[in-house]
Amino acid sequence: MAQAGDHPVPDGAPVDLRATGELADEIDAEGVLRRAHQVMERVISLVRNELPPLQLDERGIYVAMQGADGPFTLRIEAVPLPGTVAARAYVNTTSGNHVIQLSDQAPLQQVGEYLAQELRVVLEVRRRAAQGQPPARQHLLLPGPLPIGVVPRLSDDDRALLARLDMLAAEASDPAANAMNRRQSRDRFAVALDEAGLRPRAPADADAAVRHREETAAQLRLAFVESHLSTAGLGMVRELAVPVEQLDPADARPVLQYRAIQPAPASTARSPGLHPDGTPISRQELPGALRRAYQARLERSEATLEALRAEASQGRLPRHRLMIGGGATLVARDSQMLLVNARGRWHLDPIEGIVQSADQVRHLSASGIGDPYQFAAPRQRLPLDAIRLWQDTLAARGPLLDGHAELQVDRHNRLLALLHPADGSTPVRIAVDGEPLIATGVPPEIVPGCAPAVPTAIEAISVLAEYLAGEAVPHARRAHQALLDLAREPAPATKASALLNEYALFDHLNAAGGPPVAAALQTLRASADWDHARTVAPGRVLLGDEVGNGSYDPTVADRWVIAGVGGAAIANAEIILRGNPNATVAMVGSTVPWVLENDAQYLALRRQHDAALGGDGRLATHTGHRLGSIVLATDDDGLVRPQAAHLTAEAYVACLGRVPRMPPVLDPLRTWASQHNGSTHGHLLFDADRQYLGYRLSFHTAEARHDVIVTGAASRMPPPDIFSSADIARVTTAGLYEAPPESGNVAAGFMATANQAARLAFTRPLRITGDAGVAPQPTHPPRPRSQPEQGTSR
């Protein structure tokens, strides 16, 4: 019986919860949720003195009616969870909004014990945050001898397991329950004692010293946990926490069945953030550790480039498996795979930390990328230097080239990659072995005013050119070819607008084009307005990514307006306010996403700078506005000033969302397929546990086919011209399961990406197949314990 709650099972190896009877084959989300509400009163009774009174509101959310510790809400949902996880909790100690997720395959009788387990986790994380304490690094309740020299302390997992024992004891002694249900609860209680190391597991004929060590450890654990158990739980522990040969045969049977399940030992790589001896790097040591990791990364890149050049000099084309991109997806990187990754995004971002606290990304530990509590207090934002340390360490664990890749298909239909080193030296060409893994991050930002249906100037020009190819009006055929030629030039929107004016085709397109052409014209005009604004106000009209990667001057203006009120807008506002002490920022847009109310940045920054929340007045938020193309005004001194809604400023930053599209690095493959009368197809990839891994793109011609896998943040916005609306809805729903808004996280953020990558790394060698990319056999990725000494967005 595996301990649940997005934590590893005993002995560090995954146990199939279906094999142990903890998960059913049937999916019954409604039944699981209904059962959870039925048993919630009993669950609450086990911790009543630690909870304010709760009331179930009309939304189905439990809300505290009073409480000195601030707001408290709890939403319960039944969703697909990884096969080693029966339940998990997202605990937000910043906003007080929490979510407990139960597997939609949980047997109904077991819902109560897992609900009790996760409620205990919620309370424990809240308690620690109030005291500023990190979680225990080691687990006390594990089979085997106790670690030498470690002061006993219960981890979150330990307290969760004790809550399960209390709930099982209550169910096993419930006179209103039928005899079979009481027996099953007692059986699971007996097995859980094995799991918790509260019973020696060595057989009676084992070596006496081994037997003595296990008995002593079990007795010490029992003495330590007695005060943490309910009366019923403690009574049943004293009855059943004896060697299995001393149990009644009915009580021994489930224990022996559990012991017969022998999972293979899990192989786990050392987690980043550790010294060579396995001890964790401290917060004070982080700057030095980061410098060493960066140097190791540079040396690895130089050595890889030298090896590639040496291989090419022998007259043969180097052939390598390839990963393009990095970030949190480096968890999925095979150490034998050539990684091409510039030190971008998190390495360039001027912000001090990601927008989530250590508590809000505590599930990062499950991915193997690192322990957030190692470098941040529970309610403190995780510093970017920790992210950089983890990424540089992972990047240097195999062949690495700092730079970027350009994919190509040669005349022999081979997939090649032209690798451009970041030092500007001569590119190296390689042959790509197998499916490249693409993890290039979020797609590009949308230009203000562009139509969602045709969101970029290039796409707009393509739509207009295709339409004009079939028109009989004067100059249509000539304009068709001229537009296609312009698509390969810089700033094509302005040139395309001029060309359509020259041929007097705007009126015809407006009158006869229909919705696609109308959307293309809207995008063309908006893109031309944007190009013009950037020309007449250089350095003062920016996309949010230019602020986020530091390629801007914060002192170019003191009055800033940001088009947008979402996550990118508030992050850029923080960067500008920090970069220019004289700056004021106004954010303008429609509606603030609720997820921002739950992260560790948004309200804190507004309370510091927004007068509406008691701040110093340097930040203002204006909602209820839908923004179109950028508008410019010229003052009496001839200075061009951008506008957003009713506000005029000196500088303008567009943060209005992103273009749902495939990563631009794949554009040459799509062009190759199109030019050879081929096509591009996509398939969503889910593992056997219905966890989203990304998507596969297949580029076909009559002679060849090349496949790639897109994962990470890049996979969270599938291109609508390749995937159906139903597919896109599946991805959106999966993202809400992986990053509920109450958690302060988003699906394209760091934590969800790291955990997605961990699942992909486990599943990919099994070859993901099927109509929706579902792995044909049930597989369950390892969920390593959150123990840094053993080495798991914004």
Side-chain angles (χ1 to χ4, degrees):
M1 183 176 294
Q3 183 171 339
D6 211 6
H7 301 298
V9 296
D11 304 324
V15 169
D16 187 341
L17 296 188
R18 296 177 189 84
T20 64
E22 296 203 27
L23 289 184
D25 292 329
E26 297 81 13
I27 297 170
D28 185 9
E30 291 184 4
V32 169
L33 189 58
R34 185 166 53 250
R35 177 63 178 166
H37 289 303
Q38 289 171 351
V39 301
M40 186 63 171
E41 184 175 349
R42 169 173 278 178
V43 169
I44 291 174
S45 70
L46 297 174
V47 294
R48 192 174 297 282
N49 60 336
E50 301 175 54
L51 264 178
L54 297 181
Q55 181 175 351
L56 188 65
D57 70 9
E58 67 280 358
R59 302 167 298 170
I61 296 174
Y62 292 92
V63 180
M65 294 182 285
Q66 61 185 40
D69 296 333
F72 183 100
T73 70
L74 177 64
R75 181 168 62 87
I76 302 170
E77 62 180 356
V79 302
L81 293 179
T84 56
V85 179
R88 66 185 172 200
Y90 289 93
V91 188
N92 195 326
T93 56
T94 297
S95 69
N97 298 316
H98 317 295
V99 177
I100 290 177
Q101 294 181 331
L102 301 167
S103 171
D104 58 8
Q105 294 178 270
L108 299 186
Q109 189 190 346
Q110 298 180 31
V111 166
E113 65 190 82
Y114 289 118
L115 187 56
Q117 168 183 284
E118 297 309 317
L119 183 58
R120 168 56 61 194
V121 169
V122 171
L123 296 176
E124 176 59 14
V125 175
R126 278 170 54 89
R127 183 195 66 79
R128 284 194 294 93
Q131 299 176 5
Q133 293 181 347
R137 290 189 177 277
Q138 289 186 321
H139 304 282
L140 177 66
L141 302 185
L142 285 174
L146 287 170
I148 298 174
V150 175
V151 177
R153 182 182 167 203
L154 293 174
S155 69
D156 296 350
D157 284 9
D158 295 335
R159 292 179 184 271
L161 183 49
L162 293 177
R164 271 183 67 203
L165 289 173
D166 279 343
M167 188 65 183
L168 286 169
E171 292 176 342
S173 58
D174 182 6
N178 63 50
M180 184 180 69
N181 287 345
R182 290 199 303 270
R183 178 73 253 179
Q184 290 176 349
S185 295
R186 183 181 177 91
D187 288 350
R188 291 199 299 278
F189 189 103
V191 169
L193 294 178
D194 243 34
E195 184 180 332
L198 295 173
R199 174 194 297 118
R201 297 179 66 173
D205 58 354
D207 180 82
V210 173
R211 180 84 173 186
H212 177 71
R213 283 197 300 269
E214 286 205 10
E215 289 176 347
T216 301
Q219 290 168 2
L220 289 173
R221 291 188 181 96
L222 280 169
F224 191 81
V225 304
E226 282 183 347
S227 62
H228 298 278
L229 288 165
S230 67
T231 302
L234 181 57
M236 194 169 285
V237 164
R238 289 172 173 169
E239 178 186 357
L240 297 178
V242 297
V244 68
E245 59 269 16
Q246 298 177 21
L247 289 172
D248 178 273
D251 291 326
R253 186 179 303 109
V255 177
L256 294 174
Q257 290 174 345
Y258 167 70
R259 291 182 181 182
I261 300 173
Q262 295 294 331
S267 60
T268 56
R270 179 185 295 274
S271 174
L274 303 180
H275 290 297
D277 63 0
T279 57
I281 295 167
S282 69
R283 299 180 199 177
Q284 293 74 26
E285 296 173 307
L286 180 56
L290 179 56
R291 286 193 296 271
R292 291 189 295 274
Y294 176 46
Q295 184 61 35
R297 177 190 173 113
L298 288 179
E299 291 172 0
R300 172 68 76 169
S301 178
E302 292 168 358
T304 300
L305 181 58
E306 182 179 350
L308 289 172
R309 293 197 192 284
E311 195 173 356
S313 69
Q314 297 176 8
R316 63 175 182 268
L317 195 63
R319 186 175 184 85
H320 292 272
R321 294 166 56 218
L322 183 65
M323 176 176 180
I324 302 175
T329 312
L330 287 172
V331 175
R333 182 267 180 95
D334 186 313
S335 62
Q336 302 303 310
M337 180 179 281
L338 172 60
L339 171 67
V340 180
N341 175 224
R343 294 182 85 248
R345 183 62 174 100
W346 299 111
H347 291 89
L348 300 176
D349 201 318
I351 208 166
E352 184 175 353
I354 64 173
V355 304
Q356 291 84 23
S357 69
D359 275 345
Q360 291 169 345
V361 293
R362 69 187 187 89
H363 292 284
L364 262 180
S365 298
S367 73
I369 200 169
D371 176 12
Y373 295 106
Q374 190 174 336
F375 300 113
R379 289 174 175 163
Q380 181 184 6
R381 288 164 62 184
L382 182 63
L384 280 196
D385 276 354
I387 302 288
R388 293 163 181 151
L389 172 67
W390 296 338
Q391 292 184 171
D392 283 350
T393 302
L394 290 173
R397 287 184 175 173
L400 161 71
L401 181 69
D402 275 324
H404 69 275
E406 178 184 350
L407 293 175
Q408 306 169 335
V409 179
D410 69 5
R411 60 189 179 88
H412 302 293
N413 289 321
R414 296 178 301 178
L415 179 59
L416 309 178
L418 187 63
L419 310 182
H420 298 267
D423 61 11
S425 61
T426 305
V428 178
R429 182 174 279 103
I430 68 166
V432 179
D433 184 9
E435 296 176 320
L437 187 61
I438 310 298
T440 49
V442 290
E445 290 181 297
I446 194 166
V447 167
C450 289
V454 186
T456 67
I458 298 298
E459 290 170 281
I461 290 171
S462 176
V463 168
L464 296 174
E466 182 178 357
Y467 178 78
L468 289 172
E471 291 298 283
V473 296
H475 308 301
R477 297 287 297 177
R478 186 180 302 175
H480 159 77
Q481 187 56 52
L483 287 172
L484 293 179
D485 294 339
L486 284 178
R488 294 186 288 270
E489 296 187 14
T494 300
K495 297 173 183 176
S497 295
L499 185 145
L500 294 176
N501 272 324
E502 177 185 348
Y503 292 134
L505 290 170
F506 265 122
D507 289 343
H508 173 75
L509 291 169
N510 277 318
V517 169
L521 290 173
Q522 176 185 332
T523 292
L524 193 67
R525 286 189 290 264
S527 299
D529 290 343
W530 182 256
D531 292 342
H532 172 69
R534 287 171 69 88
T535 299
V536 299
R540 294 188 291 117
V541 176
L542 306 162
L543 290 170
D545 284 344
E546 294 173 287
V547 175
N549 65 24
S551 58
Y552 85 115
D553 179 3
T555 64
V556 73
D558 290 337
R559 292 178 58 197
W560 293 74
V561 64
I562 295 180
V565 290
I570 192 69
N572 285 334
E574 178 180 331
I575 293 169
I576 293 167
L577 293 171
R578 287 173 56 87
N580 180 355
N582 298 317
T584 62
V585 175
M587 300 190 305
V588 185
S590 56
T591 304
V592 176
W594 189 51
V595 64
L596 295 190
E597 305 277 353
N598 289 286
D599 72 28
Q601 177 201 39
Y602 178 74
L603 289 178
L605 189 69
R606 289 193 61 193
R607 289 182 181 120
Q608 181 181 0
H609 293 301
D610 194 332
L613 274 69
D616 59 20
R618 296 180 62 204
L619 175 65
T621 305
H622 305 270
T623 58
H625 300 279
R626 296 190 64 85
L627 302 178
S629 302
I630 188 171
V631 176
L632 300 177
T634 305
D635 64 15
D636 294 338
D637 297 328
L639 179 66
V640 174
R641 296 179 181 272
Q643 295 179 327
H646 59 287
L647 300 175
T648 301
E650 298 166 353
Y652 178 107
V653 182
C655 298
L656 292 172
R658 297 185 177 275
V659 178
R661 60 159 296 165
M662 69 181 187
V665 70
L666 301 177
D667 288 348
L669 299 188
R670 190 168 192 178
T671 299
W672 164 77
S674 176
Q675 290 176 345
H676 291 80
N677 298 316
S679 60
T680 300
H681 300 286
H683 300 277
L684 299 183
L685 303 178
F686 288 82
D687 66 15
D689 299 316
R690 295 168 290 148
Q691 306 298 301
Y692 180 58
L693 305 176
Y695 59 81
R696 174 183 281 119
L697 293 177
S698 298
F699 303 92
H700 296 262
T701 69
E703 293 80 23
R705 166 180 165 175
H706 296 294
D707 291 355
V708 305
I709 288 179
V710 178
T711 191
S715 72
R716 297 296 181 172
M717 297 179 66
D721 57 332
I722 296 176
F723 291 93
S724 68
S725 58
D727 281 340
I728 293 171
R730 288 184 72 193
V731 174
T732 300
T733 300
L736 291 174
Y737 294 159
E738 297 168 58
E742 292 96 330
S743 72
N745 291 275
V746 293
F750 195 82
M751 183 175 72
T753 297
N755 283 311
Q756 180 196 48
R759 293 190 295 270
L760 176 62
F762 180 81
T763 307
R764 195 178 184 215
L766 304 176
R767 191 168 180 265
I768 311 165
T769 59
D771 291 341
V774 179
Q777 299 296 325
T779 56
H780 309 296
R783 313 296 291 181
R785 284 272 187 186
S786 177
Q787 295 184 56
E789 67 271 29
Q790 295 183 11
T792 111
S793 140
R794 76 171 189 250

